[in-house]
Amino acid sequence: MLRLLLLCGALGCGAEQAAPLAFTMLQLTRVYRGNSMFRGNASLNGQLSHLLDENNVTQVLPLEPPDAWARRQNEVIAYLKNFRQLVQLFNKERPTNFTQHLCCHLGCRLFPNGTAQSFYEVTLNRTAFLSFHVPNATWERRWPGELPVAAFAQAQLMKYPITTQDLQYFLNTTCVSILQAQSARTGEVSGRSRAPLVLGLILGSLALLGMALGIFLCTGGSC
């Protein structure tokens, strides 16, 4: 029995594994007849930190000072405006009468041993569409079967640094720095923050796909 207890202690039997810290973002975009509607949120370690409702972006947790947050709001509002204009332009060329649902889910996790994991996943009409392979900064198709528009969107995203290297940096460095700063305050995970927390709250990254994916929102799935 003593040997069993010692072995169990060495293996951590009965002990709860510490949960990783997490910062996640979610954006839902609905497009119908050239009109775009936005919903979204961001959560820091399970606690709601930001809300996106149409053109209204609010900071629930005081993670940025008022002046910095005001600049961030303007960036997000400008992005959403450009996205709407892009969709309207394409809809004039190829009008559609059906609804498209685009969901972007991204974020990072920081584990107790100091390692991190980042992700970016995209679904189209509730079906896995694309994912971003963070270590290699490459986009991968997830759509089941062949779909020309998936290959087209993947190729477009791979053309621009903002959707490859910049996105990789955001997920690997900026996002993780948020959790490191949170960890430094709570003491839950060892390690020091390498960047200010405010650098990570670029909510425009919730919709980095708009530049390329907006192209197909009015195509009906054909290129």
Side-chain angles (χ1 to χ4, degrees):
M1 177 64 72
L2 179 59
R3 290 181 180 178
L4 180 61
L5 291 175
L6 291 175
L7 178 62
C8 195
L11 297 177
C13 301
E16 293 185 359
Q17 296 294 323
L21 299 177
F23 184 66
T24 59
M25 302 179 186
L26 179 70
Q27 182 189 348
L28 305 174
T29 303
R30 179 177 179 267
V31 177
Y32 179 65
R33 292 186 175 180
N35 297 313
S36 305
M37 288 161 281
F38 306 103
R39 295 287 187 278
N41 62 69
S43 298
L44 177 59
N45 201 28
Q47 187 175 1
L48 184 67
S49 59
H50 300 83
L51 275 176
L52 170 64
D53 184 6
E54 292 299 342
N55 285 333
N56 298 318
V57 185
T58 56
Q59 180 178 233
V60 180
L61 295 179
L63 299 180
E64 289 188 293
D67 55 342
W69 175 243
R71 292 192 298 271
R72 197 77 65 214
Q73 280 182 308
N74 290 334
E75 293 173 0
V76 176
I77 291 172
Y79 175 84
L80 297 178
K81 180 181 178 181
N82 292 336
F83 186 96
R84 278 196 171 98
Q85 291 175 344
L86 182 65
V87 171
Q88 289 171 355
L89 175 62
F90 291 140
N91 189 69
K92 289 181 180 179
E93 297 180 358
R94 294 187 182 182
T96 57
N97 294 321
F98 55 88
T99 302
Q100 296 274 28
H101 294 275
L102 180 67
C103 175
C104 301
H105 183 216
L106 67 150
C108 59
R109 303 179 184 93
L110 181 65
F111 296 90
N113 63 2
T115 61
Q117 181 185 48
S118 303
F119 64 94
Y120 199 133
E121 302 165 346
V122 184
T123 62
L124 176 63
N125 297 330
R126 301 178 179 85
T127 300
F129 186 67
L130 294 170
S131 65
F132 185 67
H133 189 253
V134 180
N136 296 333
T138 57
W139 286 95
E140 300 176 349
R141 280 173 278 172
R142 296 301 183 190
W143 191 271
E146 294 296 327
L147 184 68
V149 71
F152 176 72
Q154 178 192 33
Q156 290 298 310
L157 287 168
M158 288 301 300
K159 288 182 178 180
Y160 306 101
I162 193 173
T163 51
T164 52
Q165 291 94 338
D166 291 358
L167 180 56
Q168 181 190 50
Y169 183 86
F170 173 82
L171 292 172
N172 267 347
T173 303
T174 310
C175 184
V176 173
S177 74
I178 298 174
L179 301 180
Q180 290 173 331
Q182 176 75 4
S183 169
R185 291 199 302 270
T186 62
E188 292 180 0
V189 181
S190 61
R192 299 177 60 187
S193 173
R194 294 193 297 267
L197 178 62
V198 296
L199 292 179
L201 301 177
I202 307 172
L203 294 184
S205 63
L206 280 167
L208 278 173
L209 297 176
M211 176 176 60
L213 297 190
I215 296 174
F216 76 79
L217 289 176
C218 65
T219 65
S222 61
C223 300

